[in-house]
């Protein structure tokens, strides 16, 4: 079991000695790799990353160095960073959009740079300068190395900060022609896309500048998903665990191409945002009346639709073809499974960074 950082009895002593140990290691990549692993085990995550990077730079092809430093390099990096890069449909949509809006000589701000892929697409499309914000230090470091490896270090600068911490004169020099972002969550909001754009568009975008994506919607429909029941916790080894089940992750994540997930109503747009406007954005609340059709329903399924530019869209709607890097979110009915013909009132409410959806039988239901 890993101890929390504050409970590690040797952390302070190890931290005090670490700099001397690193200096003594000098150019010994394997020794540095071992120190990075030790720093990670003592809870010094950022220092571990720094030392691991030193070791890998000294011996990039050393299999032992790569194995020993793997945990330090990957700590704190969510797996979805790799999942989105495997989403070929998402990548192609962003490429088509950026090739449409980026003009030779443009300056671009990339919010949530990740691997640097979108920045490199913008540079390849003719951007003379791309400033890419990536707050995760490990990801920012890897992005900078990736950009350099692909020959764009002279045009792309990775800034390891939130876009809200960027300063116009210090980091950009002047306003940009294009803002591109991919800080869109499963529920659209929880990665902070609205606050980021409300700050960046008025501060950094030139008059007449372009924003990618331009707008987006949260869509929902009634659905039946048999796996929702399997994820419930009730009786285990003869014990009723329903009080503990209140800690389960909610809503449930479902793959968009799960064949067992079946829509039981027409979809409806619960919310829509104009990203290009930069806001101001506020909280929202809505409801829609939907009727169960063609079988039973046991919840509401929510997904996203993104209008990147005119004619270029992306949607992770259920029953689509390829798997999406964005999950659909399933909100089980509190009343359990309901039959065809039931009228349900679907409610949605959101803050700037969180979405809530629930449904209940409508008062008009017979």
């Amino acid at each position: 079991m890993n101890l929390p950082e504050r409970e590690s009895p040797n952390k302070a002593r190890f931290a005090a000695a670490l700099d001397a140990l690193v200096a003594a290691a000098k150019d010994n990549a394997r020794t540095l790799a071992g120190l990075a692993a030790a720093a990670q085990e003592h809870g010094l995550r950022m220092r571990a990353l720094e030392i691991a990077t030193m070791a890998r730079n000294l011996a990039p092809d050393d299999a032992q160095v790569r194995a020993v430093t793997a945990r330090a390099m990957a700590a704190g990096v969510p797996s979805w960073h790799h999942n989105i890069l495997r989403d070929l449909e998402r990548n192609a949509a962003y490429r088509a959009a950026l090739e449409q809006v980026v003009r030779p000589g443009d300056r671009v701000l990339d919010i949530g740079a990740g691997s640097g892929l979108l920045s490199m697409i913008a540079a390849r499309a003719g951007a003379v300068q791309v400033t890419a914000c990536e707050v995760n230090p490990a990801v920012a470091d890897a992005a900078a190395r990736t950009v350099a490896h692909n020959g764009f270090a002279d045009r792309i600068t990775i800034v390891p900060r939130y876009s809200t911490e960027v300063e116009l004169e210090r980091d950009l020099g002047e306003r940009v022609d294009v803002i591109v972002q991919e800080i869109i969550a499963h529920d659209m909001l929880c990665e902070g896309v609205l606050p980021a754009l409300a700050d960046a568009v008025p501060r950094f975008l030139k008059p007449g500048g372009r924003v990618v994506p331009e707008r987006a919607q949260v869509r929902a429909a009634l659905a039946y998903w048999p796996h929702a029941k399997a994820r419930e916790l009730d009786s285990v080894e003869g014990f009723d665990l329903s009080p503990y089940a209140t800690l389960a992750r909610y809503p449930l994540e479902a793959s968009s191409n799960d064949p067992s997930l079946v829509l039981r109503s027409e979809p409806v747009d619960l919310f829509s945002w104009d990203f290009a406007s930069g806001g101001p954005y506020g909280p929202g609340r809505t409801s829609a009346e939907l009727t169960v059709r063609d079988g039973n329903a046991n919840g509401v399924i929510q997904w996203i639709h993104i209008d990147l530019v005119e004619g270029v869209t992306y949607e992770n709607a259920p029953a689509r073809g390829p798997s999406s890097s964005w999950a659909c979110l399933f909100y089980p009915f509190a009343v359990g499974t309901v039959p065809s013909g039931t009228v349900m009132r679907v409610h949605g409410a959101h803050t700037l960074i969180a979405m809530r959806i629930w449904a209940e039988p409508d008062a008009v239901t017979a």
Side-chain angles (χ1 to χ4, degrees), residues 300-329:
V300 178
I301 191 70
Q302 173 256 300
W303 66 95
I304 60 175
H305 179 277
I306 306 170
D307 296 294
L308 289 98
V309 293
E310 184 67 30
V312 181
T313 64
Y314 182 100
E315 182 174 8
N316 67 324
R320 65 197 293 280
S323 178
S324 172
S325 55
W326 281 288
C328 299
L329 299 181

Side-chain angles (χ1 to χ4, degrees), residues 224-298:
Y224 181 75
W225 191 36
H227 295 303
K229 180 65 178 176
R231 298 195 183 187
E232 294 180 4
L233 276 175
D234 40 34
S235 177
V236 177
E237 292 293 334
F239 299 102
D240 183 357
L241 298 188
S242 55
Y244 185 79
T246 59
L247 301 179
R249 182 180 293 273
Y250 181 87
L252 306 175
E253 293 186 5
S255 175
S256 61
N257 64 349
D258 185 335
S260 69
L261 177 61
V262 182
L263 296 189
R264 294 301 195 203
S265 76
E266 294 294 331
V268 61
D269 285 353
L270 291 180
F271 299 104
S272 181
W273 295 274
D274 183 352
F275 289 162
S277 72
Y281 306 107
R285 189 181 182 102
T286 190
S287 67
E289 181 184 286
L290 297 174
T291 302
V292 180
R293 67 180 189 188
D294 302 327
N296 296 337
N298 62 344

